[in-house]
């Protein structure tokens, strides 16, 4: 290219700045949409509703056949195959679990879980919200194959529940949302542990050893302060493959990968400002007003160095979260909802499905067990003086949180698929999950709407 300027750099900048600002405004609007939990929850619910419609239409057989089609990847004699449905549930959901793990590590590092006493109340309330629903489920399904679904009503869907709660606006105190977020994270931790312990297959020691080797590599990366995200992702893929063949549910690879992602910056922030000033002065010295920017090679090289360093300021944990949050919320979770909410009721006696012990145990566990467990443990801990309600939170808000805890869509459907092999049991579980989530959301919203003014005016001292 010629170094001859095409136009004045000054005039170029005058024209370009408004264009850049306008692009930034459009990007900001898009970011505002994609970071909105309510919109993300609505997209996921829409995908689930579409799945129910498709499942009860003439398109069901074609969709079901498509989901059973194999995806094959091979190099020479090494060939692997997995169905589309399994790819969604085992691989794509591992990316969702990676996001859950990142959120967990963030909370442990700088969030609510950083202060044990502050986090103890919602975390222990989450235990109550896990134990009581499981116990209620077992009251209806104490023996036989149905009993394996005991963990289905224990899960709370973070994205779905917080999305619904955000619809209530200032009727919910900010501290209540923090309380609920911490509870939901603790709930997910418990669900992850349950999946690992109770819903894997007979483990393969060889593949478990290979998985341990991958974890060791990740630990070495973290110890040596390797800050390139791609290195972690490559080992993470290998970890997923080993866990997929080990008998332990492969989605847990996402959580384990997140725990090893560095949460610190690769750059000394104290030294960054003087370094940037030095580079800015250098850029000012070498910039030539009379030469096209593409011909100013030293200027471009120096700018690239600054850009690369500024990219490294953001910790790998946050860079990964930024990269996957939108795809997870707007692509992976809706796809998962569509694939797994295929509740076909054509030719089925709905009354018998509703009366199925799996349905009754799941619905009663989520609708009744969740609020009973969450509220009872919270009351107990407050009354014995172990903790106090957060400032601005009263008992109406806690009851609302308990009711909202019954929204267990994503994790509950995942556990149902792991717990049962009988299509009738899977149908009953999914039917109960969908109905229970709708009922929990409706009752929770109505309760908070009816008590919201009193709750928003309440204080943390109202428990006495």
């Amino acid at each position: 290219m010629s170094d001859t300027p095409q136009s004045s750099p000054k005039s170029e900048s005058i024209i370009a700045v408004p264009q850049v600002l306008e692009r930034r405004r459009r990007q900001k609007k898009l970011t505002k949409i994609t970071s909105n939990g309510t919109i993300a929850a609505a997209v996921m619910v829409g995908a689930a509703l579409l799945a129910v419609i498709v499942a009860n239409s003439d398109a069901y057989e074609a969709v079901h056949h498509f989901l059973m089609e194999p995806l094959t990847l091979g190099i020479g004699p090494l060939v692997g195959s997995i169905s589309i449905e399994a790819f969604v549930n085992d691989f794509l959901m591992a990316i969702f679990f990676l996001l859950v793990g990142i959120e967990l590590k963030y909370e442990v590092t700088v969030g609510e879980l950083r202060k044990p006493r502050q986090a103890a109340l919602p975390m222990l309330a989450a235990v109550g919200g896990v134990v009581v629903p499981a116990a209620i489920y077992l009251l209806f399904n104490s023996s036989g194959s149905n009993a394996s679904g005991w963990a289905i009503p224990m899960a709370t869907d973070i994205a779905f529940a917080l999305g619904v709660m955000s619809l209530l606006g200032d009727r919910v105190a900010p501290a209540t949302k923090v309380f609920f977020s911490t509870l939901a994270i603790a709930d997910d931790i418990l669900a992850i542990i349950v999946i690992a312990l109770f819903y894997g297959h007979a483990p393969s020691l060889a593949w478990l050893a290979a998985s341990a080797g991958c974890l060791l590599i990740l630990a070495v990366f973290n110890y040596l302060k390797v800050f390139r995200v791609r290195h972690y992702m490559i080992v993470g893929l290998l970890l997923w493959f080993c866990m997929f063949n080990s008998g332990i549910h492969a989605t847990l690879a996402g959580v384990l990968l997140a725990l090893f992602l560095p949460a610190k910056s690769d750059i000394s922030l104290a030294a960054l400002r003087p370094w940037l000033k030095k580079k800015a002065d250098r850029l000012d010295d070498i910039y030539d007003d009379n030469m096209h920017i593409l011909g100013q090679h030293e200027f471009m090289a120096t700018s690239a160095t600054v850009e690369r360093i500024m990219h490294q300021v953001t910790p790998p944990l946050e860079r990964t979260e930024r990269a996957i949050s939108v795809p997870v919320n707007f692509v992976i979770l809706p796809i998962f909802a569509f694939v797994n909410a295929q509740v076909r009721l054509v030719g089925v006696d709905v009354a018998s499905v509703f009366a199925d012990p799996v349905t009754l145990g799941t619905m009663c566990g989520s609708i009744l067990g969740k609020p009973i467990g969450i509220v009872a443990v919270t009351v107990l801990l407050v009354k014995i003086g172990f903790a106090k309600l957060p400032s601005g939170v009263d008992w109406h808000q806690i009851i609302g949180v308990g009711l909202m805890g019954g929204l267990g869509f994503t994790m509950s459907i995942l556990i149902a698929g792991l717990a049962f092999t009988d299509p009738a049991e899977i149908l009953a579980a999914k039917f109960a999950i969908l109905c229970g989530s709708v009922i929990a959301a409706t009752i929770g919203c109505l309760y908070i709407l009816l008590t919201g003014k009193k709750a928003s005016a309440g204080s943390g001292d109202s428990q006495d």
Side-chain angles (χ1 to χ4, degrees):
M1 294 185 183
S2 172
D3 290 345
T4 304
Q6 303 297 315
S7 60
S8 168
K10 187 175 181 179
S11 64
E12 282 184 359
S13 63
I14 293 173
I15 295 172
V17 168
Q19 294 173 344
V20 171
L21 292 177
E22 180 59 30
R23 284 199 302 270
R24 294 293 299 170
R25 279 193 289 268
R26 289 197 297 266
Q27 291 171 359
K28 190 174 182 180
K29 290 179 181 178
L30 180 61
T31 301
K32 189 175 182 180
I33 293 173
T34 55
S35 62
N36 189 307
T38 304
I39 296 175
V43 172
M44 184 168 62
V45 172
L49 292 175
L50 179 61
V52 174
I53 293 171
V54 170
N56 293 277
S57 71
D58 295 337
Y60 172 74
E61 292 297 335
V63 171
H64 180 72
H65 177 75
F66 172 77
L67 293 177
M68 293 300 106
E69 284 291 310
L71 292 174
T72 303
L73 178 65
I75 302 176
L78 301 176
V79 179
S81 181
I82 184 173
S83 71
I84 294 175
E85 182 181 50
F87 176 78
V88 171
N89 291 338
D90 288 333
F91 182 77
L92 293 186
M93 287 304 288
I95 303 175
F96 164 72
F97 273 80
L98 172 59
L99 184 61
V100 171
I102 288 172
E103 292 173 349
L104 168 62
K105 186 164 183 176
Y106 179 88
E107 293 296 329
V108 169
T109 305
V110 295
E112 291 301 313
L113 303 185
R114 179 172 55 93
K115 301 176 182 178
R117 293 285 296 183
Q118 187 175 351
L121 183 62
M123 292 181 72
L124 292 174
V127 175
V130 165
V131 173
V132 176
I136 289 177
Y137 179 92
L138 290 174
L139 289 177
F140 291 90
N141 303 272
S142 58
S143 62
S145 61
N146 289 358
S148 62
W150 60 270
I152 296 173
M154 62 177 268
T156 298
D157 190 295
I158 296 177
F160 195 0
L162 291 179
V164 172
M165 183 171 280
S166 67
L167 293 172
L168 299 170
D170 57 7
R171 296 294 184 99
V172 179
T176 301
K177 295 179 182 178
V178 174
F179 181 94
F180 192 27
S181 297
T182 307
L183 183 148
I185 290 170
D187 191 291
D188 264 4
I189 296 171
L190 294 171
I192 289 166
I193 293 172
V194 166
I195 290 173
L197 294 179
F198 299 101
Y199 292 101
H201 304 292
S204 166
L205 294 180
W207 285 109
L208 282 177
S211 301
C214 293
L215 294 177
L216 179 61
I217 294 173
L218 291 172
V220 170
F221 281 175
N222 187 280
Y223 177 77
L224 296 177
K225 302 186 185 304
V226 175
F227 287 89
R228 293 293 183 95
V229 172
R230 69 170 70 96
H231 298 332
Y232 290 90
M233 294 300 110
I234 292 171
V235 179
L237 284 173
L238 185 59
L239 173 64
W240 177 88
F241 180 77
C242 293
M243 294 191 70
F244 180 77
N245 289 281
S246 71
I248 296 180
H249 203 263
T251 53
L252 300 180
V255 178
L256 295 174
L257 173 60
L259 298 181
F260 289 100
L261 287 173
K264 295 182 179 179
S265 176
D266 189 22
I267 305 299
S268 170
L269 300 184
L272 181 62
R273 183 177 179 182
W275 183 87
L276 283 175
K277 186 179 184 305
K278 180 179 178 181
K279 289 297 180 183
D281 292 341
R282 177 59 182 163
L283 287 170
D284 186 56
D285 290 339
I286 62 178
Y287 181 71
D288 187 349
D289 287 330
N290 298 315
M291 182 179 291
H292 193 282
I293 186 66
L294 294 180
Q296 301 189 54
H297 303 299
E298 186 180 357
F299 181 89
M300 295 287 283
T302 306
S303 298
T305 299
V306 173
E307 183 179 351
R308 186 168 59 253
I309 293 299
M310 293 306 298
H311 175 74
Q312 294 297 113
V313 169
T314 305
L317 189 78
E318 187 170 347
R319 294 207 301 269
T320 305
E321 190 272 338
R322 289 178 182 177
I324 69 173
S325 60
V326 172
V328 165
N329 291 326
F330 288 90
V331 179
I332 291 176
L333 288 181
I335 290 176
F336 174 83
F338 179 80
V339 169
N340 290 277
Q342 301 279 329
V343 180
R344 184 169 176 82
L345 300 174
V346 175
V348 175
D349 185 353
V350 177
S352 65
V353 174
F354 202 91
D356 191 294
V358 172
T359 303
L360 295 175
T362 300
M363 289 186 65
C364 292
S366 59
I367 297 171
L368 299 177
K370 272 292 184 181
I372 291 173
I374 291 171
V375 175
V377 171
T378 305
V379 169
L380 176 64
L381 295 176
V382 169
K383 293 305 180 183
I384 66 175
F386 177 83
K388 294 182 178 180
L389 293 184
S391 177
V393 178
D394 66 10
W395 289 113
H396 288 298
Q397 300 271 292
I398 296 298
I399 293 172
V401 165
L403 293 169
M404 291 285 189
L407 290 104
F409 187 78
T410 305
M411 199 72 78
S412 293
I413 287 181
L414 180 63
I415 294 174
L418 298 173
F420 300 129
T421 56
D422 184 350
E425 293 174 337
I426 295 175
L427 173 65
K430 290 184 177 181
F431 178 81
I433 292 166
L434 292 174
C435 292
S437 294
V438 171
I439 293 171
T442 302
I443 295 176
C445 285
L446 288 176
Y447 183 85
I448 291 178
L449 286 173
L450 291 174
T451 63
K453 290 184 178 179
K454 183 177 180 181
S456 61
S459 69
D461 299 329
S462 61
Q463 69 268 26
D464 299 326

